[in-house]
Amino acid sequence: MTKYVFVTGGVVSSLGKGIASASLAAILESRGLKVTLIKLDPYLNVDPGTMSPFQHGEVFVTDDGAETDLDLGHYERFISTRMKRSNNFTAGQIYKTVLEKERRGDYLGKTVQVIPHVTNEIQEFVKRGAVDVDVAIVEIGGTVGDIESLPFLEAVRQMALRAGPTNAAFVHLTYVPWIAAAGELKTKPTQHTVQKMREIGIQPDVLLCRADREIPDDERDKISLFTNVGLQGVISMWDVDTIYKVPRMLHEQRLDELICMKLQLLTRPADLRRWDRLVHEVEHPKYEVSIAMCGKYTDLSDSYKSLNEALRHAGIHNHARVKIGYVDSETLGDDNIDQLAKFDAILVPGGFGKRGVEGKIRTAQYAREHKIPYLGICLGMQVATIEVARNLAGLPDANSTEFDPNTPHPVIALIDEWQDSDGTIQRRDANSDMGGTMRLGAQSSDVMPGTLAHQIYGKVVTERHRHRYEANEQYLERLQQAGLVISAITQREKLTEIVELPQTEHPWFVGVQFHPEFKSTPWDGHPLFISFVKAALEHQREATAEKVAA
């Protein structure tokens, strides 16, 4: 029987419930348990796919094509279980399902209400994502006290009641602010958020107390007294310089032992040696490289969360610290493009809409002409293709129909048909709904021998996709004549997956239509990013040698 750990948050959002949940899962997995994580989001969007990155951060895509919360990225980076569509659901999905059942007559004429119909549906969704595991850690988004999260809290309260006291535990993440003027930590917000939990019938078993410093024992004792949580269950969770220190921090305060005792789980001791080795590698790099990330969502680093982590993982595997310099592509013009010269490599990430695209095209041109290692992801591949079309293939007005529907040379155009990994043929047009209608999930293609992509991936590349537009097959021959190498292409639809420049012309210039960052982990890294950072180090060494010689 699956046992449940429900993780809630109080006082304010963005305290790190996802990291805390993933860290607990990692410790339990090190004890030999099979663990999964489920994220419940109380907003009414069906999924985050249509939400602005400024609103919600990045959208994480699973192998089966689900557009999910970015916390699922943390889950996959911390444990071995791969996430699926059933590991994330929203209030929008719940209400949509309940209303569809009502229209079909499934409720047999009953008055449809939040309790029991919505809360029962939430419980069914949770159970669906918790199959064949020892422990399911269920993270409830939002903050206790929000109106929209009440049905979710009521649903998990009912689940815990029905499961019994040894089959469910509650972990509440709270905030203990440091008031500089008073020179002390304040526990009152934590007292109030737990009071709010107890009002709806939930008594936390563990409190994870976030603060900018370690919480002294006398403050922990005070929190314990006023929240009815045992002192051993009041755990300090202070700021750290890398998220990979959190599992060790929580283990040393016996969080995993508390959970195993509550759930009556007999396991081997936790073994966090690989986490210790990882942290040591992070803290003792031999080299340092600087990589420019030229995007349009640079004001919020969560917009590129998986990319940031993938670069850091690649740095670890190259014994290097990766410093990421965010460059707003909307501000890039001919008068200031030279600011990219100080970087060891350039990455252009994905994005949607016209804003900032010309700056990205200039970036690709600058990287090509100055032989700086370049990695274009999704839109980054498309702008590199447009740049080659304009400046090498003699098509000065080349563009994507996403940015200019009337372009005379649509080298990038809307995909209208493709085959999913399960064999299903998907068809779309310009009038299709925005949500859930992109080319999504893991798909494979053959890689051309003798190319840089083949050195990195081997014969076949399988990566996750999230896009509507593709390189136009009608222009591929002309682009190849201009020097662009199409190193991976799908067999059925002839959709371009990887482009590159010959290494005789450029040391490392690659664009990929997919999102490789979603499959990077700190343990294995990702071959594409590892190769990219290695190229950045080589470029740095050559530039240094040239300066010395001069």
Side-chain angles (χ1 to χ4, degrees):
M1 177 181 176
T2 300
K3 296 176 184 282
Y4 294 92
V5 179
F6 299 107
V7 180
T8 55
V11 186
V12 293
S13 59
S14 301
L15 288 178
K17 287 196 302 295
I19 297 294
S21 300
S23 297
L24 174 57
I27 309 170
L28 295 179
E29 187 175 73
S30 80
R31 282 176 166 263
L33 295 168
K34 188 173 182 183
V35 186
T36 194
L37 294 113
I38 304 169
K39 177 70 185 291
L40 283 56
D41 282 307
Y43 50 73
L44 290 177
N45 303 67
V46 172
D47 60 42
T50 58
M51 296 170 71
S52 164
F54 290 122
Q55 288 275 316
H56 193 261
E58 78 168 10
V59 175
F60 186 83
V61 179
T62 58
D63 276 340
D64 61 356
E67 295 176 283
T68 70
D69 185 82
L70 63 82
D71 278 333
L72 271 74
H74 292 310
Y75 302 166
E76 287 207 353
R77 289 187 284 271
F78 273 63
I79 65 171
S80 59
T81 305
R82 298 301 87 187
M83 299 296 110
K84 304 189 293 292
R85 189 177 300 274
S86 55
N87 290 92
N88 183 210
F89 61 90
T90 70
Q93 288 179 39
I94 295 296
Y95 284 110
K96 183 172 181 281
T97 303
V98 169
L99 291 173
E100 287 171 349
K101 286 185 174 182
E102 186 275 332
R103 290 291 83 187
R104 288 197 303 267
D106 291 3
Y107 296 119
L108 300 175
K110 292 178 181 177
T111 302
V112 180
Q113 298 175 292
V114 172
I115 302 172
H117 301 101
V118 170
T119 52
N120 284 351
E121 199 65 43
I122 292 170
Q123 292 174 60
E124 288 304 313
F125 269 66
V126 170
K127 291 173 185 175
R128 203 175 303 161
V131 177
D132 298 327
V133 294
D134 300 313
V135 180
I137 299 175
V138 183
E139 178 193 348
I140 302 169
T143 307
V144 170
D146 294 343
I147 292 173
E148 58 263 33
S149 64
L150 283 174
F152 289 87
L153 294 170
E154 172 60 19
V156 299
R157 184 196 67 78
Q158 293 176 16
M159 278 194 78
L161 180 67
R162 290 167 177 162
T166 62
N167 292 313
F170 285 94
V171 175
H172 188 58
L173 186 71
T174 181
Y175 181 50
V176 182
W178 170 261
I179 307 300
E184 59 183 350
L185 291 162
K186 289 295 183 181
T187 65
K188 190 65 71 177
T190 294
Q191 296 174 40
H192 284 176
T193 186
V194 175
Q195 182 182 24
K196 203 75 179 172
M197 290 280 286
R198 294 170 71 186
E199 284 176 3
I200 57 179
I202 297 174
Q203 170 64 54
D205 299 293
V206 176
L207 294 179
L208 299 181
C209 300
R210 287 283 289 112
D212 65 350
R213 64 201 67 206
E214 191 170 355
I215 297 171
D217 288 345
D218 57 341
E219 299 295 338
R220 289 177 55 243
D221 189 59
K222 183 178 179 181
I223 290 170
S224 171
L225 182 66
F226 281 93
T227 60
N228 201 39
V229 175
L231 180 60
Q232 73 277 11
V234 180
I235 292 175
S236 179
M237 195 174 169
W238 58 92
D239 292 348
V240 289
D241 53 5
T242 172
I243 57 175
Y244 301 120
K245 289 183 177 180
V246 178
R248 170 62 69 182
M249 174 199 294
L250 297 179
H251 172 64
E252 288 185 347
Q253 297 178 78
R254 300 171 62 186
L255 173 61
D256 51 313
E257 186 177 324
L258 287 169
I259 295 300
C260 288
M261 288 174 62
K262 176 70 168 63
L263 301 180
Q264 295 187 358
L265 291 165
L266 296 175
T267 72
R268 69 191 186 211
D271 182 1
L272 299 183
R273 284 177 296 179
R274 75 170 186 164
W275 289 92
D276 297 335
R277 290 192 295 269
L278 175 64
V279 170
H280 182 271
E281 190 67 50
V282 169
E283 292 186 328
H284 300 88
K286 296 178 181 177
Y287 316 105
E288 183 174 287
V289 289
S290 179
I291 294 178
M293 190 178 295
C294 300
K296 53 201 283 187
Y297 311 122
T298 53
D299 289 339
L300 181 67
S301 61
D302 273 0
S303 302
Y304 304 118
K305 176 61 72 177
S306 291
L307 266 177
N308 295 337
E309 292 304 310
L311 287 171
R312 293 186 182 112
H313 301 160
I316 290 167
H317 286 266
N318 280 286
H319 309 291
R321 176 180 288 115
V322 176
K323 292 180 65 179
I324 302 171
Y326 297 100
V327 180
D328 187 347
S329 62
E330 195 173 11
T331 66
L332 283 175
D334 293 335
D335 58 333
N336 65 355
I337 193 73
D338 284 340
Q339 66 182 281
L340 299 177
K342 63 186 178 185
F343 294 101
D344 302 311
I346 296 170
L347 189 152
V348 175
F352 295 92
K354 185 177 181 179
R355 182 176 63 84
V357 164
E358 290 301 321
K360 291 188 175 188
I361 294 172
R362 287 189 183 93
T363 298
Q365 181 179 359
Y366 188 88
R368 177 178 62 81
E369 292 177 346
H370 292 80
K371 294 184 168 39
I372 300 173
Y374 175 90
L375 175 58
I377 292 176
C378 198
L379 179 58
M381 186 206 85
Q382 296 175 8
V383 298
T385 303
I386 293 169
E387 191 276 319
V388 168
R390 288 181 181 181
N391 298 313
L392 297 181
L395 303 171
D397 297 320
N399 213 328
S400 166
T401 55
E402 180 180 7
F403 316 130
D404 181 5
N406 301 312
T407 177
H409 298 296
V411 293
I412 306 294
L414 183 72
I415 326 168
D416 54 16
E417 182 178 304
W418 68 92
Q419 185 175 29
D420 275 350
S421 55
D422 62 0
T424 306
I425 304 299
Q426 299 283 353
R427 294 181 176 86
R428 303 287 184 267
D429 60 40
N431 298 315
S432 297
D433 287 346
M434 293 286 284
T437 58
M438 289 185 276
R439 185 179 175 213
L440 293 164
Q443 294 171 37
S444 301
S445 63
D446 296 331
V447 182
M448 182 190 298
T451 60
L452 178 57
H454 193 272
Q455 293 175 30
I456 294 168
Y457 280 106
K459 295 180 179 179
V460 177
V461 55
T462 302
E463 294 281 11
R464 301 176 189 178
H465 296 69
R466 182 175 182 255
H467 59 99
R468 286 191 180 85
Y469 292 82
E470 273 275 5
N472 189 338
E473 183 190 354
Q474 306 302 318
Y475 286 89
L476 294 187
E477 185 176 346
R478 185 158 181 177
L479 290 169
Q480 288 171 310
Q481 290 172 353
L484 190 68
V485 177
I486 313 297
S487 44
I489 191 167
T490 64
Q491 293 304 307
R492 181 186 176 275
E493 307 89 351
K494 302 300 180 188
L495 300 177
T496 301
E497 293 284 79
I498 306 177
V499 302
E500 60 184 76
L501 291 177
Q503 288 188 283
T504 54
E505 300 294 326
H506 193 289
W508 208 100
F509 190 103
V510 176
V512 297
Q513 186 57 75
F514 42 77
H515 288 270
E517 68 271 23
F518 294 146
K519 293 178 72 172
S520 179
T521 71
W523 320 116
D524 301 319
H526 187 287
L528 183 63
F529 288 98
I530 291 172
S531 178
F532 178 55
V533 171
K534 184 178 180 181
L537 283 165
E538 184 61 33
H539 178 78
Q540 182 189 76
R541 281 191 284 267
E542 290 177 358
T544 302
E546 287 177 8
K547 286 180 182 178
V548 171

